Amino acid sequence: MKIYILRHAIAVPRGTVVYPDDDRPLTEEGARKMSKAARGLAAVIDDVDVILTSPLIRARGTAEIAAVALEAENKIEICRELLPGVATKNLLSYLGKFKELQSLLVVGHEPDLGYLASALIGSGTSVIEFKKGSVCCIEVSTLPPIRPGTLLWHLTPKILRTIDL
């Protein structure tokens, strides 16, 4: 199975008076850049069976933009285990529900996505970081993983935006 891990795009800054942290949406620039990056994402991802997203608006917005580019709008599912601060072991256990699928796109937040990616490749500490809008692909043989998976690629949003369709 291939697991694609995508960090949400640029959102309204933390501490903005108008928005509590959980309600911070993508900025116009963040949505615009993610739309362009999503076209690059569609060029490197053949298909996804399901898109799991954190319930927070900035992650859901990112997932929706990616879903349009991947022609997978009906494949989005809200996943409470992708909320910030949820233990990686809880998320890995939840992902086991999808072990029969071929591919999965996970959209969430740092530092939790870094912990997830690191755990999937067998690291007990966080060794992978995600810029806003960046994505990686990890191949695993089972979920939850028994053996370390393989990091196939990790692309920054700038690289995704330069991929020419």
Side-chain angles (χ1 to χ4, degrees):
M1 163 187 275
K2 288 184 180 173
I3 301 176
Y4 303 100
I5 302 173
L6 174 64
R7 182 179 180 192
H8 69 77
I10 301 166
V12 170
R14 182 177 283 129
T16 302
V17 178
V18 179
Y19 299 102
D21 187 52
D22 286 358
D23 296 336
R24 292 184 297 120
L26 298 179
T27 63
E28 285 183 31
E29 175 190 21
R32 181 180 45 76
K33 285 184 171 181
M34 189 65 231
S35 292
K36 187 165 185 176
R39 290 192 296 272
L41 187 63
V44 296
I45 295 178
D46 291 331
D47 187 34
V48 292
D49 295 315
V50 69
I51 298 172
L52 297 177
T53 182
S54 159
L56 300 188
I57 194 166
R58 57 191 178 271
R60 286 194 338 253
T62 301
E64 289 165 2
I65 291 168
V68 168
L70 294 167
E71 298 179 359
E73 296 97 306
N74 61 341
K75 296 180 181 182
I76 297 175
E77 292 185 25
I78 301 297
C79 175
R80 296 196 56 78
E81 287 77 6
L82 284 166
L83 281 166
V86 173
T88 303
K89 66 179 181 174
N90 293 357
L91 177 55
L92 287 170
S93 178
Y94 182 81
L95 293 180
K97 169 181 170 182
F98 302 95
K99 63 185 175 189
E100 302 301 322
L101 301 181
Q102 296 298 309
S103 62
L104 179 64
L105 174 62
V106 175
V107 184
H109 315 272
E110 270 291 87
D112 305 292
L113 292 181
Y115 297 141
L116 171 63
S118 299
L120 288 171
I121 62 170
S123 177
T125 61
S126 184
V127 295
I128 298 176
E129 290 183 26
F130 291 84
K131 288 183 165 201
K132 291 176 182 165
S134 64
V135 64
C136 80
C137 177
I138 298 175
E139 190 166 41
V140 295
S141 57
T142 59
L143 275 177
I146 297 168
R147 295 185 296 279
T150 303
L151 176 63
L152 299 178
W153 46 261
H154 188 176
L155 301 173
T156 65
K158 186 174 183 178
I159 291 172
L160 285 170
R161 290 190 305 268
T162 63
I163 296 173
D164 189 28
L165 297 177

